Amino acid sequence: MERILKFTVNDKEVKVQVYPGEMLVDVLRERLGFLGTKIGCREGECGACTVLLDGQAVNSCLVPALRVEGRHLTTIEGLGDEHSPHLLQVAFAAEGAVQCGYCTPGFILAAAALLDNNLNPTEAEIRHALTGNLCRCGTYPRVIRAIQKVSKQMGRMGGS
Amino acid sequence: MTELEREAIRIADMKRALGEMRFPSDIYRPGNLEGVVVRSPIPHGRLTRLDVQAALQMPGVRAIVTADDIPGIKYFGKMVQDTPILVQVGNKVNSVLDAICLISADTEDQARSAAKQIAMDFEPLPAVFSLEESMAPEAPQVHEGGNLARHFRLRHGDLDQGLTVADVIVEAEYQIPAIEHAFMETEAAFGEPTEHGVRIFVGSQNPYLERELTQAVLDLPETHVEIIDVGAGGGFGGKDDSLITLYVALLTRYSRKPVRMVWERRESIRGHSKRHAMQIKATTGATRDGYLTAMRLEITADTGSYAHWGPAVLTFASLGASGVYEIPNVWVDTYVVYTHNIMSGAMRAWGNQAIAFVVEAQVDQIAAKLGIHPLRLRWLNALREGSPMASGRSAPPGVGVRRTIEAAANRYGIDLRDANLSPSSPFGFATVMQGVNYHFGYEDAAEVVIALAEDDIFQVYTATSDLGQGLEAEIRLLLARALGDLPIEKTRWMPQSTATSPNAGSTGASRHTALTGNAVWGAGMQIKRKILTLAAEMMGSSPDQIEMHGSQLWDSKSELHLSEVLAEARRREIPLDVRYRFVAPPTTAIDEDGQGYPVNQYTYGTQVVQLEVDELTGLVRTKQVDAFIDAGRIMNHLGAKKQSEGGIIMGLGYALTEEFVSEEGMPLTDSLATFLIPTICDSPMEINTEFVGEPIPFGYLGARGLAELAMVPTAPAILNAIFAVTGARLFRIPATPERVLNALERDSTLDGGNSHEGEKA
Amino acid sequence: MFHWQAYESPSTVNDALTLLHDYQGGAALMAGGTDLLIDLNRKDAVVPAVIDLMTIPELQQITDEDEYWEIGATVTLSQLLRHQELTRLAPHLMQALLVIGSVQIRNSATLVGNVTNASPAADGVLPLLTLDAAVIIASAHGERVIPMDSFFHGPRATACGIEEMVIALRIPKPSLYWVGAFEKLGLRQAMAIAVVNVAGNVAWVNGKVESARLALGSVGPTPLLAEQASQCLLGTGLEDKVIKKAGSLAQETARPIDDIRGSASYRSKMVRVLTVRCLQRIRAQYVG
C-alpha cells in the first residue's frame, strides 16, 4: 500500500507516492526521473548513489524513502546545469577527472559536501572524504586535483 | 597538449559531470517490463525437470522463456559453440552462471516472486573446481572430449642448450588469481519490439557482434535486428559475453513489449566471465654478464565452464613468455583447462598481465643473483628494431622498448651503460610490451561514415562501444584536426546503431586509436580534399594553394569561411559525405610450435614504483608510480594520461588487493565489500606519465593504443619493489599483508634466495 | 525488492516498544539502517515491519548527566565526531569512528547500531569497552543497564531480548587521567572491515599505570577484553618490556579463525603487533 511522501529536491517541493519498502535511490530515479543518481552496489560501498540530505552526503541506496519526509535533498541535477554548472562540474570536466562517468555524480556531490564543511581541505582530508566513492576507471588523481582547484577558486571568491 | 585536445575531452566529460549521460541502466519507457534471469543453483548437474506453470500464474508475469522457446541457435561461443543461452531439460548445467529460464513481468518484484515459483529439479553431479581436480585422472568431465580445452605449444630454439650455457638459473612457481571486472555500472540492456524484429539498447563491447548473435538466436534476418550501443559505465572486457543482450532479445520477442533488464551487483558478479586463474612454472637462464639464454613457461589456466575466449587469451598471453627480451631459446606449454567455475573470458590485457608478472619477477631474480642492476639487465636484453621474437619473426616496426627503459633510467640518474652499476635500488621496475589490434590472422578493420548535417556539423557514424575510454572525444578530435582544426562543436558523435552506422569493430585490443582513428582520419582527409577542391573553384585557385584552418580557408589572394563553402556545396548538390574503411596490416595464425606473425603492433612501457612496506603487518603503501610509454604518436595527451593513470590504479589493485574467490563454484567474493578494488586512499601520492614514442608506420596516424599496456607493468613493478625494499619475494598475487608478512618471515631466514618453490598458502 | 511490508515511525520509546510487542518479533528496529539494510539485501529477506527509531526525538540526544555521558540510539557517527566534549573525553573513540566506512555511511550510521549489530569486528565497540561503557536497554518493564563487556553473547547475538531495545549508551566520566588509542588493520587503506582491531585505554597517576583496559576485535566470536594483558600493565610506566609482554598476553587471549580476510595464525600475530602499537602510542601521548 503506497503512502504519500513530501519533500524538497533541488529546492523544489515534490509529492510522490511510495511503497513503505522503497529506497530513496529508486524514488529519485524511477518516480522523479533524477537519473543522474546511479546504483552501483546497493550496499553503501561504491557511493554512486550519493545525494545530499540536508546538506550531508548519504548513500541513497541505504535510505528508506519514507525517512526523507519534510527534508531537503540535492541531486547532481540540483548542483548545476549546462547553463550554470557548479564549479566542481566545470573542474572535473576541465581536469579530465571523468572517464566512463558512472561514478562522477557521486564524487561531485561528496566533494561538494566536503567543501561546504571545509573550504581548504588537505589532500589527506580530500582522500578521507571520498573514501566511500569507488572508481574502477581510476580517475582518483584527477579528482583530487579538480577538488583542490575548486577549493582555491572558492577561497579566492570568499567561500561563496 | 593543445586546446583542441582539452576541449574534446571537456565536452564529453561535462555531460557526465552534469549527470546528463544516459547509460543503458537509465533507459525506461512507460509500461516497460522488467526481466530477470533464473540461474542454476548448482555448479554441475543435469536439469531433469523444469516446470514454469506455477510461475506463469503469478501476478504481473508476461512471458517466461525456456530453451525450447529459442527459435534459432541454442549455443554460441567465441571459439567453441559450447555456451548454452538457456539450458535445456536433459542437458547439463556447468556453472552457477548458467541460465535456465527468463521471466518478464510488470515489475521486477513480480518477476522475482515468479522466479521463486519456477520448479526445477537437478541431478547433481560431481564437480571440479581447481586445476588439480580437473586434471586428475578419472576427474569428472566438464565437456565430452575431456577437461583440456587447449594445449598451446611454443618452440623457439633449443631450451636444453639454453639452460646448459646459462651460468644462473631461476626456477619458481607462481599463482595468479581470477579477477572480477567490477565495472561501476552493472550489466543492463533494454529491448523493444519493432515491426518485424527487435531493437536493443545495450552497453556491450561490439554492437555488430551482438546483432549477429541476436539474429542467429531469434532466427531473424539481419535487417530485423538493431543494436544500439549506449556507452556503458565501464567494461574492461567483461561486457563482451553477449548474454544480457540475448536474454533481453528473447524476452522482448516473447513479451511483445519493451523489456528492461539490469543486474544487481551480486548477480553481475555471478553472471559474467572472469580473468583466468593460472599456475605458472617458470625457468629462466642467463649468462654471468646478464644475457638471457633460456625461458621456459608451463602455464595452466582455469577457463571455467565454457571455453569463451580462453584458448585465444592464453595463446596470446603465452606469446609474452619472452617478455620484452631477445631470448634465443623459449619454450612454452600452456594448458587451458575446464572446471565448473564461472567461465573465464576477456579482461584488459588478455592474460598478458599475468605472464608479465612472472617474466618480470624472473628477470628481477636473475638480476639479483648476478648482482646486476635490474633496469640495466632489462636494457641489455631488450628487443631492438628487427630483433626476432619467440614466435619467429621480428617485432613489428617501432620497437621502442629501449626508449622506455632509457627514459626511466634518465629520470632517476641510472647509468645503464655502467657495467659496475650497483645493483641495489629502492625502486621496483617492470618493462612490458602489449600486443594490440586483432591477432592470429583475424582481419582488423574499422569503417566510418562522415556526413554533413543541415546545421553544418560533421556527423561521425560508426558502431562500436564507448565504455569510458574516451572514444567519443578522441574521434571528434581526430575529425576536427583532419578538417583543419575545426572547433570540436562542429563535429557530432552519432548513436552507435547497427542500423545507421558501419562496423568499427569491437572495443578491445586497444585498437580504436589505431583502427577507428585511422578510418576517421582517412575519411576526414577525403572530405578535406573535397572542400579544398570546391573552395579552389570558388576562389579561382587550386587546392594545393589553399590553407584550411579553424573554419577559415585562404590563399595568397582571398579567403572564405567554411560555412560559405558548405553552403555552396549544398546549393550545387555536391555531397560531402564519405565512407571509409581502414584495414590494419595483416597478421597470421601461428603454427603448432607457436611460430608466425600473430600481432601487427606492440605498445611498450616501463614503470618505476616506490612504495613502503609495514614490516610488522605486511601492509604495502604505494607512494609513487612513474610510467614511460611508447605508444607511437599520441593523438590526445590528456586522454592518454588518463588511460595511463587509470591503468596504474587497476594494476595496483591487481597487485595488492584483488582476488576473485569461489567455493564449490559459487562466488565468495560476491560484492564490492569482499572483492576489494582500490579506493581513493589506495591511490599513490604521485603518478607521472611520460610519452617517449615516435610515429610508427601504421596508417596515417602512426599511433598505437595504450589502454591495456597502461595496467600491465604496475603489478610486476610493485612486486619487484616489495623485493627491493624488503628482500622478500612473492610468487603469488595479490600481495596481501598476510602474504607479504609470510614472505618477509621466510626470506629473512634464507641466505641468498636460491631457487625454490613458490609459496602455496 | 522491498525488505519490509510495513514502515512504522513511532515518536516515543514506549510507542516503539508497543510496536515491538505487537509484531511479536517480526519487526526490525532501525537506527541508521545501514547494517540492517545491507543484511536484508544480502539475505533477500522481507520482514513484516521495520520500526524507524529516527523519529523519536529523545533518542537523538547526547546528554551530559554529570557522572556520565549518554548517547541516544539514533545519534549518528558524524554527529559524534562533531561533539567537542566527547572528542576531548574519548579521542580514541573518535579515531575508531573515523575509520568506520565512509562519510556517507557515518552520516547515517549510529554508534548504538554499531554496538547492537554485534559484529566481533565492530570498530566502535572496542574503544567503548575500554571506556567501561554501558548499554541502556528499555522494555515494557522499564530500563536496565548492562555493562558493555556483558552485552555480547556471540556473533550478532546480544543481551537485548526480543521485546527490548537499546535506547542509549552510557560513557562514564573518568576521575583519573586516561589516555587511549585505537589501531585497525584492513586489507586496503580504507573502507575495509578489520582483519584485526585493538583499542587501549590507560589511566596514569604519577607516571605509573593505575588502571588499563585493552579490547581486541575480529579475533573471537565477540569483541574480547584482554584481561591478563591489561593486568600486566598495572604499576608500570609502559616500558618496552612491559608492552612486549602485554602484546604476547593479548595474543594468548585471542581466539581467531580463518576466514576470507585472513588466517587465524596471521590474525594471532597481528593482535600482538597492534596491541604493542596501541600501547606505544598511549605511552607517547602521555610522555610526549
Side-chain angles (χ1 to χ4, degrees):
Chain A
M1 189 161 357
E2 289 167 303
R3 287 160 61 157
I4 309 270
L5 176 66
K6 275 189 276 207
F7 61 108
T8 305
V9 186
N10 302 333
D11 290 330
K12 256 186 66 178
E13 270 183 31
V14 298
K15 200 161 86 165
V16 68
Q17 277 194 308
V18 303
Y19 290 108
E22 241 172 295
M23 288 298 124
L24 178 59
V25 69
D26 300 302
V27 170
L28 286 173
R29 286 176 54 85
E30 303 200 353
R31 293 195 185 269
L32 296 171
F34 290 108
L35 296 175
T37 309
K38 306 299 182 195
I39 298 172
C41 71
R42 282 199 192 271
E43 59 176 353
E45 258 324 290
C46 76
C49 67
T50 303
V51 297
L52 302 184
L53 180 57
D54 294 334
Q56 309 248 291
V58 294
N59 292 316
S60 59
C61 71
L62 295 180
V63 177
L66 289 174
R67 251 198 186 163
V68 308
E69 176 72 34
R71 298 173 74 177
H72 283 74
L73 228 74
T74 310
T75 69
I76 188 70
E77 291 89 350
L79 210 62
D81 63 23
E82 203 181 318
H83 305 292
S84 60
H86 190 279
L87 286 178
L88 281 166
Q89 289 166 318
V90 173
F92 268 60
E95 291 298 313
V98 176
Q99 289 192 33
C100 79
Y102 199 73
C103 72
T104 304
F107 264 100
I108 291 179
L109 286 162
L114 167 68
L115 292 176
D116 266 349
N117 282 325
N118 181 353
L119 200 49
N120 201 10
T122 62
E123 184 169 328
E125 284 169 336
I126 293 174
R127 286 170 183 258
H128 190 245
L130 297 176
T131 292
N133 291 81
L134 292 179
C135 170
R136 192 47 159 161
C137 298
T139 59
Y140 300 133
R142 287 179 189 272
V143 164
I144 293 172
R145 210 173 309 173
I147 295 170
Q148 288 170 328
K149 183 168 160 184
V150 173
S151 144
K152 281 202 195 74
Q153 287 172 329
M154 287 174 78
R156 282 198 294 270
M157 286 160 60
S160 49
Chain B
M1 198 170 314
T2 68
E3 256 322 293
L4 208 55
E5 286 174 17
R6 282 200 171 274
E7 190 59 11
I9 286 180
R10 195 194 63 78
I11 288 181
D13 287 2
M14 194 54 164
K15 185 166 48 186
R16 292 156 169 87
L18 291 172
E20 287 172 7
M21 175 78 181
R22 290 293 168 255
F23 296 88
S25 52
D26 292 326
I27 301 177
Y28 299 85
R29 301 264 191 276
N32 67 248
L33 306 178
E34 295 276 344
V36 308
V37 182
V38 177
R39 298 181 190 273
S40 167
I42 60 172
H44 189 214
R46 196 164 300 280
L47 178 64
T48 54
R49 183 177 80 98
L50 176 63
D51 187 338
V52 308
Q53 289 312 312
L56 270 171
Q57 307 309 317
M58 294 290 285
V61 171
R62 300 299 186 121
I64 299 187
V65 178
T66 70
D68 292 335
D69 300 319
I70 300 178
I73 61 169
K74 298 195 197 309
Y75 289 84
F76 76 112
K78 304 288 187 189
M79 311 197 66
V80 180
Q81 311 302 301
D82 61 356
T83 309
I85 293 149
L86 294 171
V87 178
Q88 252 168 324
V89 174
N91 288 351
K92 287 197 311 162
V93 295
N94 289 307
S95 78
V96 299
L97 173 155
D98 291 25
I100 309 298
C101 65
L102 309 168
I103 303 177
S104 66
D106 292 340
T107 70
E108 191 184 329
D109 247 26
Q110 288 171 330
R112 294 211 182 276
S113 300
K116 296 198 170 101
Q117 299 301 316
I118 295 285
M120 324 183 262
D121 287 335
F122 294 88
E123 177 206 326
L125 294 167
V128 289
F129 301 112
S130 72
L131 295 169
E132 288 77 25
E133 283 171 13
S134 178
M135 295 309 287
E138 313 289 317
Q141 305 285 277
V142 184
H143 299 285
E144 273 178 38
N147 289 343
L148 184 64
R150 161 83 62 100
H151 170 214
F152 164 77
R153 236 175 83 101
L154 184 142
R155 297 290 182 263
H156 174 71
D158 180 339
L159 181 73
D160 289 331
Q161 176 63 12
L163 291 172
T164 304
V165 303
D167 294 314
V168 289
I169 293 180
V170 168
E171 234 180 282
E173 265 187 63
Y174 298 81
Q175 296 210 68
I176 314 279
I179 296 287
E180 154 64 35
H181 303 75
F183 23 73
M184 277 303 119
E185 186 202 21
T186 55
E187 289 85 344
F190 190 98
E192 39 188 37
T194 56
E195 198 186 332
H196 299 294
V198 295
R199 172 183 303 124
I200 303 177
F201 299 83
V202 64
S204 75
Q205 304 209 191
N206 190 346
Y208 267 80
L209 173 68
E210 305 297 284
R211 182 177 77 170
E212 188 186 308
L213 289 171
T214 301
Q215 79 189 84
V217 167
L218 295 184
D219 197 18
L220 289 172
E222 193 178 278
T223 47
H224 292 182
V225 174
E226 182 184 358
I227 304 290
I228 300 181
D229 204 276
V230 177
F236 312 109
K239 288 191 174 158
D240 196 23
D241 293 354
S242 307
L243 283 166
I244 197 170
T245 308
L246 300 177
Y247 298 153
V248 165
L250 284 163
L251 279 176
T252 303
R253 193 92 174 117
Y254 275 95
S255 312
R256 283 190 256 256
K257 290 194 76 184
V259 175
R260 178 175 179 268
M261 182 183 282
V262 179
W263 294 352
E264 299 276 329
R265 180 62 62 181
R266 233 179 308 148
E267 174 163 27
S268 167
I269 291 179
R270 177 176 175 169
H272 75 261
S273 57
K274 306 285 166 260
R275 271 207 203 279
H276 292 76
M278 304 183 205
Q279 278 170 21
I280 303 177
K281 278 193 216 160
T283 307
T284 312
T287 63
R288 192 163 292 121
D289 327 333
Y291 289 97
L292 297 166
T293 61
M295 176 73 80
R296 163 125 182 84
L297 292 190
E298 219 178 289
I299 302 166
T300 314
D302 180 355
T303 202
S305 56
Y306 302 110
H308 201 295
W309 276 124
V313 167
L314 268 302
T315 303
F316 174 75
S318 302
L319 292 172
S322 45
V324 300
Y325 311 108
E326 196 179 323
I327 308 180
N329 309 289
V330 181
W331 281 23
V332 185
D333 283 280
T334 299
Y335 304 92
V336 182
V337 169
Y338 291 116
T339 65
H340 293 104
N341 292 320
I342 290 166
M343 62 187 173
S344 306
M347 186 171 174
R348 193 177 191 175
W350 258 47
N352 191 39
Q353 81 297 330
I355 302 322
F357 161 55
V358 170
V359 171
E360 289 302 283
Q362 290 288 104
V363 164
D364 227 49
Q365 288 170 83
I366 295 269
K369 274 194 152 182
L370 293 175
I372 296 180
H373 190 286
L375 198 59
R376 173 170 156 80
L377 186 83
R378 288 172 166 84
W379 183 75
L380 286 173
N381 290 278
L383 293 164
R384 295 167 197 274
E385 210 67 45
S387 289
M389 298 182 63
S391 49
R393 308 253 289 270
S394 59
V399 182
V401 57
R402 305 176 76 82
R403 246 202 304 269
T404 71
I405 299 173
E406 285 157 7
N410 265 339
R411 175 76 60 85
Y412 288 99
I414 296 167
D415 184 356
L416 295 170
R417 292 187 158 73
D418 179 0
N420 296 316
L421 182 64
S422 161
S424 91
S425 168
F427 305 137
F429 301 97
T431 303
V432 314
M433 55 200 281
Q434 179 74 27
V436 298
N437 310 327
Y438 292 159
H439 342 291
F440 305 132
Y442 193 80
E443 184 191 66
D444 200 351
E447 191 170 343
V448 310
V449 161
I450 303 192
L452 182 65
E454 287 297 310
D455 52 4
D456 276 5
I457 293 185
F458 290 93
Q459 309 194 132
V460 183
Y461 292 83
T462 191
T464 183
S465 310
D466 187 346
L467 297 164
Q469 74 274 30
L471 185 62
E472 174 183 346
E474 184 164 68
I475 297 307
R476 289 174 66 183
L477 170 69
L478 283 173
L479 180 58
R481 276 227 196 98
L483 296 177
D485 278 5
L486 272 189
I488 294 288
E489 297 79 46
K490 292 300 185 183
T491 66
R492 186 179 285 134
W493 178 240
M494 299 304 286
Q496 331 280 284
S497 161
T498 55
T500 61
S501 310
N503 190 358
S506 63
T507 292
S510 310
R511 59 184 284 281
H512 278 310
T513 299
L515 270 292
T516 312
N518 273 302
V520 168
W521 192 267
M525 290 284 99
Q526 283 188 2
I527 294 177
K528 183 174 178 183
R529 221 170 354 260
K530 291 190 186 199
I531 290 173
L532 289 177
T533 303
L534 181 56
E537 274 185 51
M538 291 165 73
M539 289 158 78
S541 180
S542 66
D544 45 295
Q545 299 286 326
I546 301 176
E547 299 274 343
M548 176 170 160
H549 188 86
S551 301
Q552 293 289 120
L553 294 98
W554 70 90
D555 68 2
S556 52
K557 286 187 263 123
S558 54
E559 60 179 69
L560 279 177
H561 192 272
L562 179 63
S563 56
E564 299 176 68
V565 184
L566 299 180
E568 182 67 7
R570 222 171 256 121
R571 201 182 61 80
R572 293 212 236 161
E573 291 183 349
I574 299 173
L576 292 176
D577 301 355
V578 161
R579 174 180 294 262
Y580 194 97
R581 186 170 189 259
F582 177 80
V583 182
T587 56
T588 73
I590 46 178
D591 66 19
E592 69 271 7
D593 283 336
Q595 304 297 295
Y597 190 73
V599 175
N600 64 28
Q601 264 304 335
Y602 285 90
T603 296
Y604 301 88
T606 294
Q607 283 183 17
V608 183
V609 164
Q610 296 175 58
L611 49 74
E612 271 170 358
V613 178
D614 180 334
E615 303 214 9
L616 292 182
T617 62
L619 188 65
V620 175
R621 192 164 192 358
T622 308
K623 301 193 5 231
Q624 183 167 328
V625 181
D626 297 301
F628 304 89
I629 299 178
D630 178 345
R633 174 184 276 123
I634 300 295
M635 304 319 303
N636 188 326
H637 289 79
L638 179 56
K641 282 201 166 164
K642 285 163 67 174
Q643 279 298 303
S644 174
E645 291 154 15
I648 285 168
I649 289 167
M650 188 174 266
L652 190 151
Y654 189 58
L656 298 176
T657 60
E658 294 172 29
E659 186 166 0
F660 174 74
V661 181
S662 342
E663 194 171 64
E664 305 275 303
M666 194 57 113
L668 270 187
T669 50
D670 64 350
S671 84
L672 295 178
T674 47
F675 182 77
L676 300 177
I677 68 174
T679 67
I680 197 169
C681 295
D682 297 280
S683 183
M685 296 307 286
E686 206 176 315
I687 298 180
N688 301 305
T689 305
E690 196 184 311
F691 300 113
V692 302
E694 277 163 23
I696 53 166
F698 191 106
Y700 303 104
L701 303 177
R704 42 198 177 193
L706 57 82
E708 290 170 292
L709 183 278
M711 78 158 288
V712 178
T714 312
I718 286 177
L719 275 282
N720 289 341
I722 292 173
F723 173 78
V725 159
T726 67
R729 176 73 60 187
L730 273 87
F731 299 90
R732 178 171 184 171
I733 48 176
T736 60
E738 181 167 351
R739 290 183 186 141
V740 172
L741 190 69
N742 287 343
L744 278 168
E745 288 175 352
R746 180 198 68 211
D747 287 350
S748 67
T749 60
L750 277 177
D751 42 278
N754 287 314
S755 55
H756 50 269
E757 299 278 286
E759 51 179 39
K760 303 290 179 199
Chain C
M1 87 169 303
F2 301 145
H3 294 300
W4 48 81
Q5 284 149 5
Y7 179 90
E8 305 285 1
S9 32
S11 39
T12 67
V13 171
N14 281 329
D15 287 347
L17 288 168
T18 306
L19 285 164
L20 261 182
H21 173 76
D22 291 344
Y23 278 104
Q24 308 246 352
L29 292 166
M30 181 166 70
T34 52
D35 284 324
L36 174 67
L37 276 157
I38 291 170
D39 196 47
L40 289 172
N41 210 345
R42 176 148 278 284
K43 296 182 178 141
D44 272 340
V46 185
V47 295
V50 71
I51 301 173
D52 191 352
L53 301 177
M54 281 293 182
T55 48
I56 303 175
E58 74 179 89
L59 297 180
Q60 302 216 335
Q61 312 301 321
I62 303 175
T63 46
D64 182 344
E65 303 277 4
D66 286 336
E67 311 260 290
Y68 49 82
W69 283 93
E70 216 165 85
I71 300 170
T74 59
V75 173
T76 66
L77 301 180
S78 290
Q79 284 174 294
L80 284 166
L81 284 165
R82 287 193 287 267
H83 197 274
Q84 295 198 355
E85 285 111 321
L86 276 177
T87 302
R88 259 196 301 274
L89 170 73
H92 68 307
L93 172 63
M94 301 308 165
Q95 281 164 30
L97 300 189
L98 274 175
V99 295
I100 294 179
S102 60
V103 164
Q104 292 93 326
I105 294 283
R106 294 192 289 276
N107 283 337
S108 288
T110 66
L111 185 55
V112 164
N114 194 243
V115 171
T116 57
N117 190 45
S119 158
D123 296 310
V125 170
L126 302 178
L128 287 172
L129 281 167
T130 67
L131 290 163
D132 205 19
V135 179
I136 306 180
I137 300 178
S139 71
H141 312 295
E143 288 177 13
R144 60 195 181 102
V145 180
I146 313 267
M148 184 135 318
D149 59 21
S150 320
F151 183 70
F152 302 102
H153 293 176
R156 306 302 180 88
T158 71
C160 195
I162 288 185
E163 292 192 13
E164 295 186 299
M165 52 186 277
V166 175
I167 55 169
L169 299 174
R170 198 175 272 180
I171 300 183
K173 293 190 200 177
S175 46
L176 297 172
Y177 177 67
W178 288 82
V179 179
F182 174 79
E183 290 279 334
K184 174 178 180 178
L185 174 65
L187 293 178
R188 60 184 173 188
Q189 303 287 336
M191 274 305 256
I193 297 173
V195 174
V196 173
N197 38 3
V198 170
N201 209 8
V202 168
W204 297 86
V205 175
N206 293 328
K208 295 283 181 228
V209 175
E210 179 73 13
S211 186
R213 291 195 202 96
L214 278 167
L216 316 175
S218 320
V219 287
T222 67
L224 303 173
L225 276 172
E227 309 267 11
Q228 289 190 298
S230 311
Q231 283 290 317
C232 90
L233 303 177
L234 300 179
T236 74
L238 283 196
E239 297 82 6
D240 283 347
K241 245 181 15 195
V242 171
I243 290 181
K244 196 164 165 206
K245 177 121 195 281
S248 300
L249 288 171
Q251 187 174 11
E252 283 166 36
T253 307
R255 285 134 58 202
I257 55 169
D258 292 334
D259 74 8
I260 200 173
R261 277 179 285 279
S263 71
S265 84
Y266 177 70
R267 287 188 148 109
S268 171
K269 289 180 206 163
M270 291 305 105
V271 167
R272 184 170 35 84
V273 172
L274 293 196
T275 300
V276 166
R277 284 196 175 160
C278 196
L279 293 172
Q280 285 172 336
R281 278 175 49 206
I282 288 173
R283 180 182 66 199
Q285 274 180 71
Y286 178 67
V287 168

